[in-house]
Structure formats: structure tokens, C-alpha cells
């Protein structure tokens, strides 16, 4: 039997122990954290839609009309009008034939990968893919080849060795802890050349990049060409849940084989209605995406002005490399004392030695508060003896 107390002690010794903090109120640009006001720089409520009045009302109305929960899996009795409507809207938004809702991004990735990559087949996965993709690979009965981050030559080498075996290439569109974008044109070319499927997780790309915030696949002009596009409803769309966009045939296949779809209760109607309204707002107010992008540029530039080297490229995810888990958490605490909340990211979320502060901006931040925050980051970093940082390894 695992000695839980020893394991917890070990996590504490290695600076890897985690605890929950309490946020008071909705996910705005500033929040009360454990009762203290702080600037929130680690929420994925990128477009400020989680607390938008219309999104809140949609959830409340749906709760009154449809109830709080769906009562069962979609395939039992949980399939309701809001689910069908949102799937139609998502497919239209992403320019795909069909969409299938899942309980969360974690469930979409684990379910889809395990369903699509069976025994005797292969999955090719970027080494910095999100944990839910890694776990999907673990659940799949296929052989897994992990290629170096964004390294299409390494991937091509792996694909060559697997010739003839059905295969799936899977990647984050925008990498969740690094903020850089996958080389989708090259991945699509390789998928075509080797006749394998390509799956892109747009958890951090939807609402953030591409025309109208349609994501990294649309930005690369590959809508419809990438076989499966996963998106989440809990980040830029401010609600909860996820979806897979694909051909009608592929979504029907997932509906019949993805265990996380089949054996899990359908999303609650208020959440589905909230996501649908958020999607409408994204469509009608594209300036939110623009504002998110300009805020990201402001923070990057201001951090660079402090002698720090923010990673990522143009996205709203702005990592600053620190080093060990202990150093990272200590810096996060120093920042908190100054009223800035940026979460320290440690193993196993990122590789050993690459712990970092991961800043995320929102469209609802003011440029001035982002510049001020960068000044405080610089001050805290100097105080911690981290005068100049190098970009997170990419
Ligand atoms: C790239 C990526 N995929 C999937 C997920 C999981 O999505 P969800 O939070 O909806 O489970 C996340 C983050 O949570 C993510 O960053």
C-alpha cells in the first residue's frame, strides 16, 4: 500500500506540493484571492465572457427552462435541444460538417485518441502536448511515438519507420504552457503524405487566434483538412465542456466508440446555453480577440523591458522561465505579496528544470495594469536574484 503521508512529504520536499486557493467572485481581470485583491494573470477566461451579463442570463434562463442537469449520458436520456443546437453552431463556426460535445477537454482528448488509435496502430504526439493528450495516448492501445517539440523532421523520421500502419498525429494548436503555435501546415503535409489522421487541440487557440478567433487551424487555412479539431468551452468561451469537430462519419464513430462520451453524463443545459451565447458574442464582437492579442503584446513587451525573456510568440500565454519548482513558487509568492497573481507551473505539468511563471492575459485587462504588473514582476525577479531570464525551452 502506498504510504500517502510519505508521498505528501516527498512532494513538499521537492517543492511540488499543491494547494487550493480561494477566488472570491467571478473571473474578472482583478479578483479577491483568499480575501486579498489581486490582478488576475492566470485565468483562461481570455475574452472576459465567463462573467458577461448575457452569458450569465443565458445560463440562468436555461436552468429555469431545462433544469440544472441533463440527468444521463447523451445516449441514454440526456440528449436535449441545447446540445443539438450548440453542436450545429460549433460545426458552423469551425467550418466542419459536424461537432460532438464532450464533458470536458480532458474527456474529449482521452476519449477521441483512445477510440481512434487501436492495437497495431500508431499515435504521434508532440512532447509538449497537454496532459489530457498524453493520457489519451496512454489509454490508446496503439504504439506511441513522442516527437520533439514542433520538430517536423523528427516526426517525419518516425512516420517513415511506421509506414503502412494506420496512424494519428496529435498536437496542441497553441501549446498550453508555452504559448507557441504548432507548425500546422507541415503537420498537415506529413499527414497527407503518410495517409494518417491529424488531430489538433484548440483549447487555447479558439477565441484567441485565427480569423474571427476561429483558432489555429483556421489561421493556417486548414479548416476541413485537419481531420479532428478539439475545442474547449471552459476557456475563451467562459463556460465548461468541450467538443470535437470532424466529418459526420468521424463524429458518428466517436459517438459509438469514445468511452468518455458514452459513459459520462451529458453537459448541464445551463453550461451549454452559456457557451452558445459566448459563441454568439465572439461572432458579433471580434474586437475582443483583437484586444486579447494587443494585451498579450503589451505584457510581452513590458516584461522584456524588465530584462525578462517571455516565451511563446504572439499568443495570450506568456511564460517566463524560472528554473526549479522551489524558485518558481517562491517568485509566485513574492508577486502575490505585490498584488499580482500568476501561477507557478511545475512538473509534472512541465518537464523537470523548466518550471515557470505562466502569465495569461485577458481582453478585459487594461494596458496600464499589465505594464504595472510587468514592473512588479521585474522587481520581484531581481529581489529573487533572477536578473535575466532565458526563454522557456522550445
Ligand atoms: C491544451 C489543452 N487541452 C485540453 C485541456 C483540458 O480541457 P478541460 O479543462 O476542458 O478539461 C486543457 C486545459 O485544461 C488544455 O490546456
Amino acid at each position: 500500500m502506498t504510504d500517502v503521508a510519505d508521498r505528501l512529504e516527498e512532494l513538499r520536499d521537492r517543492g511540488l506540493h499543491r494547494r487550493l486557493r480561494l477566488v472570491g467572485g467571478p473571473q474578472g481581470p482583478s479578483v479577491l484571492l483568499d480575501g486579498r485583491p489581486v490582478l488576475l494573470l492566470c485565468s483562461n477566461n481570455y475574452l472576459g465572457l465567463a462573467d458577461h451579463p448575457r452569458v450569465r442570463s443565458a445560463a440562468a434562463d436555461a436552468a429555469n427552462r431545462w433544469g440544472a442537469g441533463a440527468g444521463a449520458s447523451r445516449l441514454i436520456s440526456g440528449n436535449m435541444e441545447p446540445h443539438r443546437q450548440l453542436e450545429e453552431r460549433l460545426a458552423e463556426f469551425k467550418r466542419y460538417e459536424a461537432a460532438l460535445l464532450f464533458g470536458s477537454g480532458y474527456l474529449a482528448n482521452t476519449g477521441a485518441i483512445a477510440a481512434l488509435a487501436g492495437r497495431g496502430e500508431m499515435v504521434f504526439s508532440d512532447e509538449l502536448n497537454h496532459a489530457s493528450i498524453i493520457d489519451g495516448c496512454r489509454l490508446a492501445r496503439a504504439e506511441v511515438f513522442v516527437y520533439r517539440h514542433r520538430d517536423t523532421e523528427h516526426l517525419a523520421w518516425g512516420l517513415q519507420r511506421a509506414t503502412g500502419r494506420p496512424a494519428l498525429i496529435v498536437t496542441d494548436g497553441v501549446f498550453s504552457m508555452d504559448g507557441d503555435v504548432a507548425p500546422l501546415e507541415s503537420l498537415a503535409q506529413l499527414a497527407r503524405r503518410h495517409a494518417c489522421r491529424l488531430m489538433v487541440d484548440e483549447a487555447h487557440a479558439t477565441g484567441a487566434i485565427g480569423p474571427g478567433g476561429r483558432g489555429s487551424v483556421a489561421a493556417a487555412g486548414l479548416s476541413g483538412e485537419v481531420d479532428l479539431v478539439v475545442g474547449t468551452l471552459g476557456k475563451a468561451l467562459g463556460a465548461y465542456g468541450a467538443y470535437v469537430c470532424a466529418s459526420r462519419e468521424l463524429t458518428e464513430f466517436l459517438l459509438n466508440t469514445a468511452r468518455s462520451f458514452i459513459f459520462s453524463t451529458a453537459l448541464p443545459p445551463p453550461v451549454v446555453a452559456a457557451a452558445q451565447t459566448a459563441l454568439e458574442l465572439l461572432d458579433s464582437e471580434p474586437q475582443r480577440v483583437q484586444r486579447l492579442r494587443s494585451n498579450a503584446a503589451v505584457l510581452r513587451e513590458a516584461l522584456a523591458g524588465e530584462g525578462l525573456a517571455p516565451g511563446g510568440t504572439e499568443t495570450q500565454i506568456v511564460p517566463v522561465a524560472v528554473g526549479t519548482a522551489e524558485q518558481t513558487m517562491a517568485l509566485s509568492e513574492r508577486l502575490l505579496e505585490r498584488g499580482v497573481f500568476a501561477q507557478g507551473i511545475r512538473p509534472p505539468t512541465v518537464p523537470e528544470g523548466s518550471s515557470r511563471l505562466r502569465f495569461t492575459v485577458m481582453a478585459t485587462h487594461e494596458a496600464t495594469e499589465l505594464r504595472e504588473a510587468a514592473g512588479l514582476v521585474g522587481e520581484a525577479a531581481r529581489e529573487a536574484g533572477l536578473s535575466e531570464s532565458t526563454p522557456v525551452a522550445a
Side-chain angles (χ1 to χ4, degrees), residues 127-188:
E127 68 179 331
L128 295 188
N129 275 342
H130 186 257
S132 54
I133 294 179
I134 296 171
D135 290 358
C137 292
R138 288 177 179 157
L139 279 174
R141 303 198 171 197
E143 187 185 329
V144 181
F145 180 95
V146 177
Y147 59 91
R148 288 187 293 268
H149 182 48
R150 300 181 78 254
D151 187 341
T152 48
E153 276 181 29
H154 191 210
L155 170 61
W157 180 81
L159 284 164
Q160 220 123 36
R161 292 180 58 234
T163 299
R165 291 163 76 182
L168 173 72
I169 301 171
V170 57
T171 184
D172 280 16
V174 169
F175 286 88
S176 58
M177 297 300 138
D178 294 73
D180 51 352
V181 181
L184 292 181
E185 289 96 337
S186 305
L187 294 181

Side-chain angles (χ1 to χ4, degrees), residues 104-107 109 130 132 172 174 176 201 203-204 232 235 240-242:
S104 69
Y106 188 91
L107 292 173
N109 280 332
H130 186 257
S132 54
D172 280 16
V174 169
S176 58
D201 176 352
H204 299 278
T232 57
K235 298 180 169 56
Y240 186 71

Side-chain angles (χ1 to χ4, degrees), residues 156 193 252-253:
R193 189 175 318 144
E252 186 184 341
F253 176 76

Side-chain angles (χ1 to χ4, degrees), residues 21-297:
R21 293 183 186 275
L22 197 62
V23 170
Q27 298 276 309
S30 299
V31 292
L32 284 181
L33 185 72
D34 295 330
R36 284 188 47 218
V38 292
L39 185 73
L40 181 59
L41 281 177
C42 50
S43 173
N44 299 327
N45 178 24
Y46 297 133
L47 301 177
L49 295 175
D51 54 336
H52 190 286
R54 274 184 54 200
V55 175
R56 293 177 193 227
S57 297
D61 293 348
N64 285 329
R65 175 149 184 226
W66 302 96
S73 140
R74 298 274 300 283
L75 288 166
I76 305 293
S77 68
N79 188 36
M80 300 161 102
E81 186 57 25
H83 299 110
R84 196 181 59 80
Q85 268 182 16
L86 180 58
E87 283 176 343
E88 279 173 9
R89 283 290 298 108
L90 286 165
E92 225 175 86
F93 175 66
K94 291 278 185 180
R95 314 285 195 261
Y96 273 78
E97 259 179 33
L100 187 67
L101 289 173
F102 280 77
S104 69
Y106 188 91
L107 292 173
N109 280 332
T110 50
I113 297 170
L116 285 165
R119 210 183 290 285
E121 304 186 2
M122 298 239 9
V123 191
F124 294 86
S125 175
D126 187 292
E127 68 179 331
L128 295 188
N129 275 342
H130 186 257
S132 54
I133 294 179
I134 296 171
D135 290 358
C137 292
R138 288 177 179 157
L139 279 174
R141 303 198 171 197
E143 187 185 329
V144 181
F145 180 95
V146 177
Y147 59 91
R148 288 187 293 268
H149 182 48
R150 300 181 78 254
D151 187 341
T152 48
E153 276 181 29
H154 191 210
L155 170 61
W157 180 81
L159 284 164
Q160 220 123 36
R161 292 180 58 234
T163 299
R165 291 163 76 182
L168 173 72
I169 301 171
V170 57
T171 184
D172 280 16
V174 169
F175 286 88
S176 58
M177 297 300 138
D178 294 73
D180 51 352
V181 181
L184 292 181
E185 289 96 337
S186 305
L187 294 181
Q189 265 176 19
L190 283 172
R192 253 195 320 268
R193 189 175 318 144
H194 293 271
C196 45
R197 290 200 176 92
L198 176 59
M199 169 169 163
V200 178
D201 176 352
E202 303 225 274
H204 299 278
T206 301
I209 65 173
R214 286 211 306 282
S216 53
V217 170
L222 293 169
S223 301
E225 227 185 287
V226 167
D227 301 276
L228 298 106
V229 172
V230 174
T232 57
L233 306 173
K235 298 180 169 56
L237 293 175
Y240 186 71
Y243 54 94
V244 176
C245 286
S247 65
R248 218 169 279 292
E249 186 178 57
L250 256 180
T251 52
E252 186 184 341
F253 176 76
L254 292 179
L255 182 149
N256 279 276
T257 57
R259 294 172 66 84
S260 61
F261 176 86
I262 300 170
F263 299 110
S264 193
T265 300
L267 282 172
V271 162
V272 176
Q276 170 129 356
T277 300
L279 195 57
E280 282 160 17
L281 283 163
L282 172 57
D283 238 2
S284 62
E285 299 177 8
Q287 67 276 14
R288 285 177 185 273
V289 182
Q290 218 28 62
R291 179 70 188 267
L292 180 68
R293 294 180 68 80
S294 65
N295 274 351

